[in-house]
Amino acid sequence: MAHATIRDVAREADVSVASVSRVLNGHSNVRPAVRERVQAVAAALGYVPHAGARNLSLARTNAIGVMLPDLHGEFFSETARGIDSEASARGLQLLLSNAHANPARAIETLRTMRGRVDGVIIMAPDLDPEQLFEHLPPSLPAVLINCCGNVQGRAELRVDNVAGAEAMVEHLVSTGRRRIVHLAGPDGNSEAQARVAGYCAAMARHGLAPRILPGDFFEEAGTAAAEELLRELDGPEAPDALFAANDMMAIGAMMRFRRAGVAVPGRIAIAGFDDVPLARLISPALTTMRVGIAGIGARAVVRLTALIAGGHDHAVEPRTPELIVRETTWSTINTEQPASRE
Amino acid sequence: MAHATIRDVAREADVSVASVSRVLNGHSNVRPAVRERVQAVAAALGYVPHAGARNLSLARTNAIGVMLPDLHGEFFSETARGIDSEASARGLQLLLSNAHANPARAIETLRTMRGRVDGVIIMAPDLDPEQLFEHLPPSLPAVLINCCGNVQGRAELRVDNVAGAEAMVEHLVSTGRRRIVHLAGPDGNSEAQARVAGYCAAMARHGLAPRILPGDFFEEAGTAAAEELLRELDGPEAPDALFAANDMMAIGAMMRFRRAGVAVPGRIAIAGFDDVPLARLISPALTTMRVGIAGIGARAVVRLTALIAGGHDHAVEPRTPELIVRETTWSTINTEQPASRE
DNA sequence: CTGTTAGCGCCTTCAG
DNA sequence: CTGAAGGCGCTAACAG
């Protein structure tokens, strides 16, 4: 049995479709008797309005599109969570699509969102903005998050990754570190590039030689970097700090150092970037730059809502990351020797 | 400037809308000259088809609705990730809605999905199934995940929480634990209830006295439970294991014990449930029951796709959690004393 | 208060 | 190969 339509209800209740529509949308100009009859019939038929049709005729969907690079890892799930909490507080549904770093698919996705959402939130640090924005319908409200090359003057939220990376280097230097190695994010990623830039600038300011290891934001890259550094830890040029471009890589490195029995931060300090929830739970807790991931997502929804309501917003809203120093060291953790059981 | 419509393109290209439609959808029966002209005009006008209208006339959306209890915590983001990866591999978009444990809103959400998605995936362990399913349009394809009271014979994936909890108790007992305390999930949650049941059954089988602390699946509940147990740790009835109904609570407890300087698992063993990604990264690494969260999400998409394609599927597919024993102890971690800096 | 009518933007027979 | 016309399901004037 197919779905009942508004026409079925109208016929059964012996009224016009207009009246059914009025009842269902809570308009007041309907005689109580008619209202009740319509409601009864609708319930009996198991009628559920076809939201798609409704959207078409209202030219309004109450949904927003969200394009994220990937849903893997805590960074993006935190963003999604921030967006979701604000969206659901406003009764908006979310049409999610991850771009998987594939420009063609990203564009295709944007196109299939047209007419299904009232606006979009786009986070695409790894996509060529030229291509992307060319296919962004100008009349589609959009809020960008960390999109390099926002040429159309779109509303945007942009984390100051350069300043963040500089701040972290300053912190490491202030605690006595000198041989600070940076583990970078993926090549084509504008955020990763900015963090490298900040790192280099701050190192130069202190007359320190930069050293950059390639990475990709994944845990395994941290593991690999740690393995490389492990070989040098007893040498004359031993690094005394590893500053990873994101938390997951920092954690990968930390796990590897731990497995090798290297004291962190005793022998080598480790710092991350993002402050994902995990950073606080790992031990030793991770010193990192907090970007307020979920808050950015929520803020994007707020601005998008205003845009959809007809507002104008061409601002690039800067977000400055905050240094989070976590001082947990082994000594405060392991106050008691393990009882070996079995 | 508003969006161009198919009619604008037709007018500018001096052809009928039918021809434009054919060109845009790659039909072959169009003269090359016409095809090119239409494509040129469409590009010039920045025309993007209105997906909503397309869906209406095709009665097909290529989107699936996803209703999760909440996007907070790794459990649900993992589920979402599994769903997302499988969905995007199939070119499906996701319409996300979290129910926030509010039955009325959940029903409302389900209704607004009608006509906007081809099918839905529902995970609602905390909702009254009577109410929920009554409002689930029978003709809407759906796959349920861990929904108690699946009265309509809907396709479902169900984790065997009872067996999982039993297995964990068996494991703890086999490693010599006797005073095993269970930290439960929220009251109205069917998964939490099943885990309690499994715990009690296994305890009874060994003639052990069950003890259940109230919880809610959040980290803080774990903290609170640990504080309660801390007071008893030196007493004659000191518990020797805490089995939390999910990983986050287990982690909360572990953090609290660590802060108090209590050796884990030396003084007290801690076990969780779910095997969220975090469980492996925490230290000591968490022993837990793996339910294959992302895999369940992916599998749900596969089954839903078949259902949408017209298949029949009334099966309840069982998933048995797998015991993951992680043996990391402090001694293997802290092989080196911290160098105190500063 | 209620019904009729005209779309929303697109796709798809059905003729030509 | 192409155009005209009807319809997807619903809402919103516009008359009664």
Side-chain angles (χ1 to χ4, degrees), chain B residues 7 10-11 14-22 29:
Chain B
R7 235 168 341 238
R11 181 169 20 76
D14 201 33
V15 294
S16 71
V17 293
S19 291
V20 176
S21 174
R22 288 193 261 262
N29 50 347

Short mmCIF file of all heavy atoms in Angstrom, two decimals, chain B residues 7 10-11 14-22 29, chain C residues 10-16, chain D residues 2-7:
data_model
loop_
_atom_site.label_atom_id
_atom_site.label_comp_id
_atom_site.label_asym_id
_atom_site.label_seq_id
_atom_site.Cartn_x
_atom_site.Cartn_y
_atom_site.Cartn_z
N ARG B 7 13.24 26.36 -17.10
CA ARG B 7 12.51 27.13 -18.09
C ARG B 7 13.35 28.28 -18.65
O ARG B 7 13.28 28.60 -19.83
CB ARG B 7 11.21 27.67 -17.49
CG ARG B 7 10.05 27.24 -18.33
CD ARG B 7 8.67 27.41 -17.78
NE ARG B 7 8.52 27.59 -16.37
CZ ARG B 7 7.80 26.79 -15.61
NH1 ARG B 7 7.19 25.74 -16.13
NH2 ARG B 7 7.67 27.03 -14.34
N ALA B 10 15.59 26.80 -21.13
CA ALA B 10 14.86 26.46 -22.35
C ALA B 10 14.63 27.70 -23.20
O ALA B 10 14.85 27.70 -24.41
CB ALA B 10 13.53 25.80 -22.00
N ARG B 11 14.19 28.75 -22.58
CA ARG B 11 13.90 29.98 -23.30
C ARG B 11 15.16 30.53 -23.98
O ARG B 11 15.18 30.79 -25.18
CB ARG B 11 13.31 31.02 -22.34
CG ARG B 11 12.95 32.33 -23.00
CD ARG B 11 12.12 33.24 -22.10
NE ARG B 11 12.19 32.96 -20.67
CZ ARG B 11 13.21 33.25 -19.88
NH1 ARG B 11 14.29 33.86 -20.38
NH2 ARG B 11 13.16 32.97 -18.60
N ASP B 14 16.28 28.47 -26.68
CA ASP B 14 15.24 28.37 -27.70
C ASP B 14 14.84 26.93 -28.01
O ASP B 14 14.74 26.52 -29.17
CB ASP B 14 15.70 29.08 -28.98
CG ASP B 14 14.51 29.45 -29.86
OD1 ASP B 14 13.44 29.76 -29.28
OD2 ASP B 14 14.64 29.39 -31.08
N VAL B 15 14.66 26.20 -26.95
CA VAL B 15 14.18 24.82 -27.10
C VAL B 15 13.12 24.60 -26.02
O VAL B 15 12.83 25.50 -25.23
CB VAL B 15 15.31 23.80 -26.90
CG1 VAL B 15 16.34 23.90 -28.01
CG2 VAL B 15 15.96 23.98 -25.55
N SER B 16 12.56 23.43 -25.99
CA SER B 16 11.55 23.14 -24.96
C SER B 16 12.23 22.66 -23.68
O SER B 16 13.38 22.21 -23.71
CB SER B 16 10.60 22.06 -25.46
OG SER B 16 11.29 20.83 -25.48
N VAL B 17 11.50 22.75 -22.60
CA VAL B 17 12.05 22.27 -21.33
C VAL B 17 12.36 20.78 -21.41
O VAL B 17 13.27 20.29 -20.76
CB VAL B 17 11.09 22.53 -20.15
CG1 VAL B 17 10.95 24.02 -19.90
CG2 VAL B 17 9.75 21.88 -20.38
N ALA B 18 11.58 20.09 -22.19
CA ALA B 18 11.81 18.66 -22.33
C ALA B 18 13.21 18.39 -22.87
O ALA B 18 13.93 17.51 -22.37
CB ALA B 18 10.76 18.04 -23.23
N SER B 19 13.59 19.16 -23.84
CA SER B 19 14.92 18.95 -24.41
C SER B 19 16.01 19.28 -23.39
O SER B 19 17.01 18.58 -23.28
CB SER B 19 15.10 19.82 -25.66
OG SER B 19 14.28 19.33 -26.70
N VAL B 20 15.79 20.33 -22.67
CA VAL B 20 16.77 20.69 -21.64
C VAL B 20 16.91 19.54 -20.64
O VAL B 20 18.01 19.12 -20.29
CB VAL B 20 16.36 21.97 -20.90
CG1 VAL B 20 17.34 22.27 -19.78
CG2 VAL B 20 16.27 23.13 -21.87
N SER B 21 15.77 19.04 -20.23
CA SER B 21 15.78 17.93 -19.28
C SER B 21 16.55 16.75 -19.86
O SER B 21 17.38 16.15 -19.17
CB SER B 21 14.33 17.53 -18.97
OG SER B 21 14.31 16.38 -18.17
N ARG B 22 16.30 16.46 -21.11
CA ARG B 22 16.99 15.33 -21.73
C ARG B 22 18.50 15.56 -21.75
O ARG B 22 19.27 14.66 -21.42
CB ARG B 22 16.47 15.13 -23.15
CG ARG B 22 15.06 14.56 -23.18
CD ARG B 22 14.67 14.08 -24.57
NE ARG B 22 13.86 15.05 -25.29
CZ ARG B 22 12.52 15.00 -25.35
NH1 ARG B 22 11.86 14.06 -24.73
NH2 ARG B 22 11.85 15.90 -26.04
N ASN B 29 18.71 10.78 -27.09
CA ASN B 29 17.91 11.26 -28.20
C ASN B 29 17.84 12.79 -28.29
O ASN B 29 16.77 13.39 -28.19
CB ASN B 29 16.50 10.68 -28.11
CG ASN B 29 15.91 10.87 -26.73
OD1 ASN B 29 16.62 11.22 -25.79
ND2 ASN B 29 14.62 10.69 -26.59
P DC C 10 14.38 23.25 -12.25
OP1 DC C 10 15.80 23.09 -11.93
OP2 DC C 10 13.95 24.20 -13.27
"O5'" DC C 10 13.81 21.82 -12.59
"C5'" DC C 10 14.14 20.73 -11.74
"C4'" DC C 10 13.26 19.54 -12.04
"O4'" DC C 10 11.90 19.96 -12.09
"C3'" DC C 10 13.52 18.87 -13.40
"O3'" DC C 10 14.24 17.67 -13.17
"C2'" DC C 10 12.14 18.55 -13.95
"C1'" DC C 10 11.18 19.05 -12.88
N1 DC C 10 10.00 19.74 -13.45
C2 DC C 10 8.81 19.05 -13.52
O2 DC C 10 8.76 17.88 -13.15
N3 DC C 10 7.70 19.68 -14.01
C4 DC C 10 7.79 20.95 -14.41
N4 DC C 10 6.69 21.53 -14.87
C5 DC C 10 9.02 21.69 -14.34
C6 DC C 10 10.09 21.04 -13.86
P DC C 11 14.80 16.84 -14.36
OP1 DC C 11 15.96 16.08 -13.88
OP2 DC C 11 14.91 17.73 -15.54
"O5'" DC C 11 13.62 15.81 -14.63
"C5'" DC C 11 13.24 14.90 -13.59
"C4'" DC C 11 12.08 14.07 -14.06
"O4'" DC C 11 10.95 14.94 -14.35
"C3'" DC C 11 12.35 13.28 -15.34
"O3'" DC C 11 11.89 11.95 -15.11
"C2'" DC C 11 11.53 13.98 -16.40
"C1'" DC C 11 10.39 14.58 -15.60
N1 DC C 11 9.79 15.83 -16.16
C2 DC C 11 8.40 15.86 -16.39
O2 DC C 11 7.73 14.85 -16.17
N3 DC C 11 7.85 17.00 -16.88
C4 DC C 11 8.60 18.08 -17.10
N4 DC C 11 8.00 19.19 -17.56
C5 DC C 11 10.01 18.07 -16.87
C6 DC C 11 10.57 16.93 -16.39
P DT C 12 12.27 10.82 -16.15
OP1 DT C 12 12.62 9.61 -15.38
OP2 DT C 12 13.22 11.36 -17.14
"O5'" DT C 12 10.88 10.59 -16.88
"C5'" DT C 12 9.68 10.56 -16.11
"C4'" DT C 12 8.49 10.46 -17.03
"O4'" DT C 12 8.08 11.78 -17.44
"C3'" DT C 12 8.76 9.67 -18.30
"O3'" DT C 12 7.65 8.86 -18.59
"C2'" DT C 12 8.93 10.76 -19.35
"C1'" DT C 12 7.95 11.81 -18.85
N1 DT C 12 8.23 13.21 -19.29
C2 DT C 12 7.15 14.04 -19.55
O2 DT C 12 5.99 13.68 -19.46
N3 DT C 12 7.50 15.31 -19.93
C4 DT C 12 8.78 15.81 -20.08
O4 DT C 12 8.97 16.97 -20.42
C5 DT C 12 9.85 14.88 -19.78
C7 DT C 12 11.28 15.31 -19.91
C6 DT C 12 9.53 13.62 -19.41
P DT C 13 7.90 7.49 -19.36
OP1 DT C 13 6.86 6.60 -18.87
OP2 DT C 13 9.32 7.13 -19.33
"O5'" DT C 13 7.53 7.85 -20.86
"C5'" DT C 13 6.48 7.16 -21.49
"C4'" DT C 13 5.11 7.76 -21.15
"O4'" DT C 13 5.26 9.15 -20.80
"C3'" DT C 13 4.17 7.68 -22.34
"O3'" DT C 13 2.87 7.27 -21.95
"C2'" DT C 13 4.18 9.09 -22.91
"C1'" DT C 13 4.54 9.96 -21.71
N1 DT C 13 5.43 11.08 -22.12
C2 DT C 13 4.86 12.28 -22.41
O2 DT C 13 3.67 12.49 -22.36
N3 DT C 13 5.76 13.26 -22.78
C4 DT C 13 7.13 13.16 -22.85
O4 DT C 13 7.81 14.11 -23.19
C5 DT C 13 7.66 11.86 -22.54
C7 DT C 13 9.12 11.61 -22.60
C6 DT C 13 6.81 10.88 -22.19
P DC C 14 1.90 6.69 -23.09
OP1 DC C 14 0.62 6.34 -22.45
OP2 DC C 14 2.67 5.69 -23.85
"O5'" DC C 14 1.69 7.96 -24.04
"C5'" DC C 14 0.91 9.07 -23.56
"C4'" DC C 14 0.79 10.09 -24.67
"O4'" DC C 14 1.98 10.90 -24.71
"C3'" DC C 14 0.63 9.46 -26.06
"O3'" DC C 14 -0.43 10.10 -26.74
"C2'" DC C 14 1.97 9.72 -26.72
"C1'" DC C 14 2.41 11.02 -26.05
N1 DC C 14 3.88 11.23 -26.04
C2 DC C 14 4.41 12.52 -26.22
O2 DC C 14 3.62 13.46 -26.40
N3 DC C 14 5.76 12.69 -26.22
C4 DC C 14 6.57 11.66 -26.03
N4 DC C 14 7.88 11.88 -26.02
C5 DC C 14 6.06 10.34 -25.84
C6 DC C 14 4.73 10.17 -25.86
P DA C 15 -1.18 9.27 -27.92
OP1 DA C 15 -2.55 8.93 -27.49
OP2 DA C 15 -0.29 8.20 -28.42
"O5'" DA C 15 -1.29 10.39 -29.05
"C5'" DA C 15 -0.12 10.78 -29.68
"C4'" DA C 15 -0.12 12.27 -29.95
"O4'" DA C 15 1.08 12.83 -29.39
"C3'" DA C 15 -0.09 12.58 -31.45
"O3'" DA C 15 -0.66 13.84 -31.70
"C2'" DA C 15 1.39 12.56 -31.74
"C1'" DA C 15 2.01 13.06 -30.43
N9 DA C 15 3.24 12.32 -30.11
C8 DA C 15 3.36 10.99 -29.81
N7 DA C 15 4.60 10.61 -29.57
C5 DA C 15 5.34 11.78 -29.71
C6 DA C 15 6.71 12.05 -29.58
N6 DA C 15 7.60 11.12 -29.27
N1 DA C 15 7.11 13.31 -29.80
C2 DA C 15 6.20 14.24 -30.10
N3 DA C 15 4.88 14.13 -30.24
C4 DA C 15 4.52 12.84 -30.03
P DG C 16 -1.00 14.24 -33.21
OP1 DG C 16 -1.87 15.44 -33.14
OP2 DG C 16 -1.47 13.02 -33.90
"O5'" DG C 16 0.39 14.66 -33.84
"C5'" DG C 16 0.76 16.02 -33.86
"C4'" DG C 16 2.23 16.15 -34.17
"O4'" DG C 16 3.00 15.17 -33.46
"C3'" DG C 16 2.58 15.95 -35.65
"O3'" DG C 16 3.01 17.19 -36.19
"C2'" DG C 16 3.74 14.97 -35.64
"C1'" DG C 16 4.19 15.00 -34.19
N9 DG C 16 4.86 13.78 -33.74
C8 DG C 16 4.30 12.56 -33.50
N7 DG C 16 5.17 11.65 -33.10
C5 DG C 16 6.38 12.32 -33.09
C6 DG C 16 7.67 11.86 -32.76
O6 DG C 16 8.01 10.73 -32.39
N1 DG C 16 8.62 12.89 -32.88
C2 DG C 16 8.34 14.17 -33.28
N2 DG C 16 9.36 15.01 -33.35
N3 DG C 16 7.13 14.63 -33.59
C4 DG C 16 6.21 13.64 -33.47
P DT D 2 16.68 17.67 -31.39
OP1 DT D 2 17.23 18.83 -32.12
OP2 DT D 2 17.33 17.15 -30.19
"O5'" DT D 2 15.17 17.99 -31.07
"C5'" DT D 2 14.39 18.70 -32.04
"C4'" DT D 2 12.97 18.77 -31.58
"O4'" DT D 2 12.45 17.44 -31.37
"C3'" DT D 2 12.74 19.51 -30.27
"O3'" DT D 2 12.12 20.74 -30.59
"C2'" DT D 2 11.83 18.60 -29.45
"C1'" DT D 2 11.38 17.57 -30.47
N1 DT D 2 11.10 16.20 -29.95
C2 DT D 2 9.80 15.77 -29.92
O2 DT D 2 8.86 16.44 -30.26
N3 DT D 2 9.64 14.49 -29.45
C4 DT D 2 10.63 13.63 -29.01
O4 DT D 2 10.37 12.50 -28.62
C5 DT D 2 11.97 14.15 -29.08
C7 DT D 2 13.12 13.32 -28.63
C6 DT D 2 12.15 15.42 -29.53
P DG D 3 12.04 21.88 -29.45
OP1 DG D 3 12.33 23.17 -30.09
OP2 DG D 3 12.82 21.44 -28.28
"O5'" DG D 3 10.50 21.83 -29.10
"C5'" DG D 3 9.57 22.04 -30.15
"C4'" DG D 3 8.19 21.66 -29.68
"O4'" DG D 3 8.14 20.24 -29.40
"C3'" DG D 3 7.73 22.37 -28.41
"O3'" DG D 3 6.42 22.87 -28.63
"C2'" DG D 3 7.73 21.27 -27.36
"C1'" DG D 3 7.47 20.02 -28.18
N9 DG D 3 8.03 18.80 -27.62
C8 DG D 3 9.33 18.57 -27.27
N7 DG D 3 9.55 17.36 -26.83
C5 DG D 3 8.31 16.74 -26.90
C6 DG D 3 7.94 15.42 -26.55
O6 DG D 3 8.64 14.52 -26.13
N1 DG D 3 6.57 15.22 -26.77
C2 DG D 3 5.70 16.15 -27.26
N2 DG D 3 4.44 15.76 -27.39
N3 DG D 3 6.04 17.38 -27.59
C4 DG D 3 7.36 17.61 -27.38
P DA D 4 5.78 23.93 -27.66
OP1 DA D 4 5.50 25.17 -28.40
OP2 DA D 4 6.62 23.94 -26.44
"O5'" DA D 4 4.41 23.21 -27.30
"C5'" DA D 4 3.83 22.31 -28.23
"C4'" DA D 4 2.73 21.50 -27.53
"O4'" DA D 4 3.29 20.26 -27.03
"C3'" DA D 4 2.10 22.20 -26.33
"O3'" DA D 4 0.72 21.86 -26.31
"C2'" DA D 4 2.86 21.63 -25.15
"C1'" DA D 4 3.11 20.19 -25.62
N9 DA D 4 4.33 19.60 -25.08
C8 DA D 4 5.56 20.19 -24.92
N7 DA D 4 6.48 19.41 -24.43
C5 DA D 4 5.82 18.21 -24.24
C6 DA D 4 6.24 16.98 -23.76
N6 DA D 4 7.49 16.73 -23.35
N1 DA D 4 5.33 15.97 -23.70
C2 DA D 4 4.07 16.21 -24.11
N3 DA D 4 3.55 17.35 -24.60
C4 DA D 4 4.49 18.31 -24.64
P DA D 5 -0.21 22.39 -25.10
OP1 DA D 5 -1.58 22.53 -25.67
OP2 DA D 5 0.44 23.54 -24.42
"O5'" DA D 5 -0.20 21.13 -24.12
"C5'" DA D 5 -0.52 19.84 -24.65
"C4'" DA D 5 -0.67 18.85 -23.49
"O4'" DA D 5 0.65 18.42 -23.06
"C3'" DA D 5 -1.34 19.45 -22.25
"O3'" DA D 5 -2.11 18.44 -21.64
"C2'" DA D 5 -0.16 19.86 -21.39
"C1'" DA D 5 0.80 18.70 -21.67
N9 DA D 5 2.21 18.99 -21.44
C8 DA D 5 2.85 20.21 -21.51
N7 DA D 5 4.13 20.14 -21.25
C5 DA D 5 4.35 18.80 -20.99
C6 DA D 5 5.51 18.07 -20.65
N6 DA D 5 6.70 18.63 -20.51
N1 DA D 5 5.37 16.74 -20.46
C2 DA D 5 4.17 16.18 -20.62
N3 DA D 5 3.01 16.77 -20.93
C4 DA D 5 3.18 18.08 -21.11
P DG D 6 -3.15 18.83 -20.47
OP1 DG D 6 -4.50 18.62 -21.00
OP2 DG D 6 -2.76 20.14 -19.89
"O5'" DG D 6 -2.84 17.69 -19.40
"C5'" DG D 6 -2.57 16.35 -19.84
"C4'" DG D 6 -1.79 15.62 -18.76
"O4'" DG D 6 -0.41 16.05 -18.77
"C3'" DG D 6 -2.32 15.90 -17.34
"O3'" DG D 6 -2.42 14.66 -16.66
"C2'" DG D 6 -1.27 16.83 -16.74
"C1'" DG D 6 -0.01 16.36 -17.45
N9 DG D 6 1.06 17.35 -17.53
C8 DG D 6 0.94 18.70 -17.80
N7 DG D 6 2.09 19.32 -17.81
C5 DG D 6 3.02 18.33 -17.53
C6 DG D 6 4.44 18.40 -17.42
O6 DG D 6 5.17 19.39 -17.55
N1 DG D 6 4.98 17.15 -17.13
C2 DG D 6 4.28 16.00 -16.97
N2 DG D 6 4.97 14.91 -16.70
N3 DG D 6 2.95 15.92 -17.08
C4 DG D 6 2.40 17.11 -17.36
P DG D 7 -3.20 14.63 -15.26
OP1 DG D 7 -4.04 13.42 -15.29
OP2 DG D 7 -3.78 15.95 -14.98
"O5'" DG D 7 -1.98 14.39 -14.28
"C5'" DG D 7 -1.04 13.37 -14.58
"C4'" DG D 7 0.13 13.47 -13.62
"O4'" DG D 7 1.03 14.51 -14.07
"C3'" DG D 7 -0.28 13.85 -12.18
"O3'" DG D 7 0.37 12.97 -11.30
"C2'" DG D 7 0.21 15.27 -12.02
"C1'" DG D 7 1.41 15.28 -12.95
N9 DG D 7 1.80 16.61 -13.41
C8 DG D 7 0.98 17.64 -13.79
N7 DG D 7 1.63 18.72 -14.14
C5 DG D 7 2.96 18.38 -13.98
C6 DG D 7 4.13 19.14 -14.20
O6 DG D 7 4.22 20.31 -14.60
N1 DG D 7 5.27 18.41 -13.92
C2 DG D 7 5.30 17.12 -13.48
N2 DG D 7 6.49 16.58 -13.26
N3 DG D 7 4.21 16.38 -13.27
C4 DG D 7 3.09 17.08 -13.54
#
